Amino acid sequence: MKYVSVSETLRGGDPMHQTARRFFGVLAIAGFSLLPRFADANEPVTLGVVTWIGYGPIYCAAANGYYKKYGLEVKLINFSDNSVMAGALQSGEINATTLTYDQVIAANARGWKLKVVMPVDYSVGGDAILASAQIQSIKDLKGRKVAFMSASPSDFLLGYALSKDGLSERDIHPVNTTPEGVVGIMAGGSVDVGVSYEPNVSVIVKSGGGKRFHVLLSSRDARGMITDVLVLKDSVIGKNPKLVEGLIRGTMDGLAFMQAQPAQASAIIAKTLEISPAEVREQLPNIENPTLPRLGDVFRKSDALPSFYASGKIIGDILKKEGQIDSAPPIEATYDATFVAALQAGSGG
C-alpha cells in the first residue's frame, strides 16, 4: 500500500486522533498547491483519506492491491485535517477523496461540482446525545442547555433528533464547544446534555461510576445521518469513468476481504490507524460499511434515512442557519448514482 502523509504539512502539528477526523469545520476548503498534480494516465491515482475506522475497506483494498485489478495504482494521501480535503479535490491536487456528506453540500453551495459516487460508511453508534439520569426523552430537552459543536455532525445528529419529536434548536439553549469539550462541561455540571462521539461518549457514560449520564440517542438510531462518502469532481467523472468504476469495485473488494478475513483485516486497519487489532474490533461495531445490495440506499428519493434527500435537508437547513452557506444545492446535484447502479445490476444486486 502506498500511503503518503501530509498531516504535518497541513497542520504543523501532531496528526489528529483517528476518531476526531470530522470535526474541524465544514467550510475551511480553500485550495492549495502542496501536492503534485497527476495528469498522466500512468501516474498514481491519489485518494485523500483520514485515519478513520470507517475507511477499513479502502485500507484493505490498498494494502492487498485490489485497485490494481482494475488498472489503478492508488496512492492514499493521509490528511490530518479533513476540512481542507474538498479544496484539494477542487483544485486538482488529488484525484478523489473521502468526505462527510455535509462537506459535499457545503462545497457545492459555493458552486463547486463535487459528486458522491458511493457511501463508504455510516456512523451507527459512534456519535451520541448524552444526558443526565433525569432526562429520559428528546422532548425533555426543551428549555435545557445542550453542549455541542455547531455546524458539525454533532449538530446534524441533534437536529435530526429534535425534528423527529417536533422540536428545533430554538427550543433548546445551545452551548457551543468542541466534541472533546463536551466531556469537561458535562463532568463539571454546567450542562445536563451534550453531543459528542467516541471515545468521548464512553468517557462520559462511565463517569461517576456509570450512574450520572446515559445515551439518550445515538447514531445507531439515525443510520445515515452521518455518512462518509467517496467523492470526485464532476469533470473527472465525465472524462474518466473507468477511474470511478475501479475505485468503487476495489473498495467493495476490500469490504469483502474484511468480511471473509476479519483477523487479517483488523491487522491491516490497526497498522494504518496505529492502534491495536483489539481496538479495531472494539470500534468496528460503531460504524457500518454498506454492502452492495444497500449501497444505493443513499441515492433514493425518500424522506427516510439513509437517503441523502432526508439527511441533506437537515444538513442544509443547519448550515444556512449557521451562516455557513447562503442556499443549499439541489440534492440530485451532489451525487452520481450510475456507477453503483451498474455494479448492482451486474451482480443482480
Side-chain angles (χ1 to χ4, degrees), residues 263 266-271 275-284:
S266 292
I268 290 171
I269 298 168
K271 182 177 180 181
I275 58 178
S276 70
E279 288 175 298
V280 170
R281 292 190 292 271
E282 182 180 346
Q283 293 181 24
L284 280 175

Side-chain angles (χ1 to χ4, degrees), residues 22-286:
R22 297 170 297 174
F23 298 90
F24 280 80
V26 295
L27 278 183
I29 48 182
F32 54 92
S33 299
L34 298 175
L35 303 174
R37 296 181 181 274
F38 294 96
D40 193 286
N42 295 321
E43 293 285 357
V45 173
T46 48
L47 171 58
V49 295
V50 288
T51 47
W52 165 239
I53 189 69
Y55 297 156
I58 293 173
Y59 302 143
C60 290
N64 292 338
Y66 294 152
Y67 295 118
K68 293 180 181 179
K69 292 167 51 179
Y70 306 103
L72 304 181
E73 182 67 38
V74 172
K75 179 184 291 185
L76 302 186
I77 306 296
N78 186 36
F79 290 76
S80 66
D81 182 350
N82 84 331
S83 68
V84 299
M85 294 167 75
L89 182 65
Q90 171 68 8
S91 63
E93 308 302 335
I94 54 177
N95 304 117
T97 193
T98 52
L99 296 172
T100 47
Y101 183 54
D102 56 279
Q103 291 179 294
V104 178
I105 291 177
N108 285 6
R110 284 190 161 189
W112 298 3
K113 296 181 179 180
L114 310 186
K115 287 194 173 180
V116 177
V117 294
M118 70 174 289
V120 181
D121 69 82
Y122 306 132
S123 173
V124 288
D127 300 78
I129 302 171
L130 303 124
S132 57
Q134 68 266 31
I135 298 172
Q136 292 296 317
S137 72
I138 295 297
K139 289 185 181 294
D140 292 339
L141 300 186
K142 190 170 185 178
R144 301 264 185 180
K145 290 191 289 186
V146 182
F148 62 95
M149 184 174 180
S150 64
S152 76
S154 294
D155 197 350
F156 307 140
L157 179 63
L158 177 63
Y160 168 78
L162 291 171
S163 66
K164 280 198 67 178
D165 278 296
L167 302 176
S168 74
E169 288 188 12
R170 292 188 297 272
D171 296 303
I172 64 170
H173 300 290
V175 177
N176 192 23
T177 184
T178 65
E180 293 79 15
V182 173
V183 178
I185 290 176
M186 293 189 73
S190 299
V191 301
D192 292 321
V193 187
V195 191
S196 193
Y197 58 89
E198 291 289 10
N200 304 321
V201 170
S202 293
V203 171
I204 293 169
V205 170
K206 292 175 182 177
S207 65
K211 296 181 179 179
R212 287 187 65 190
F213 303 109
H214 66 104
V215 172
L216 189 62
L217 180 143
S218 83
S219 52
R220 190 171 296 278
D221 306 303
R223 173 181 173 271
M225 189 63 239
I226 302 173
T227 305
D228 288 287
V229 293
L230 179 63
V231 183
L232 293 90
K233 290 175 66 174
D234 187 43
S235 59
V236 173
I237 294 171
K239 291 177 182 176
N240 196 350
K242 291 296 183 182
L243 166 62
V244 186
E245 293 172 11
L247 288 172
I248 294 175
R249 288 178 179 272
T251 300
M252 295 309 292
D253 287 351
L255 177 57
F257 175 78
M258 288 176 62
Q259 295 170 330
Q261 303 290 340
Q264 294 180 42
S266 292
I268 290 171
I269 298 168
K271 182 177 180 181
T272 304
L273 301 184
E274 298 182 345
I275 58 178
S276 70
E279 288 175 298
V280 170
R281 292 190 292 271
E282 182 180 346
Q283 293 181 24
L284 280 175
N286 289 325

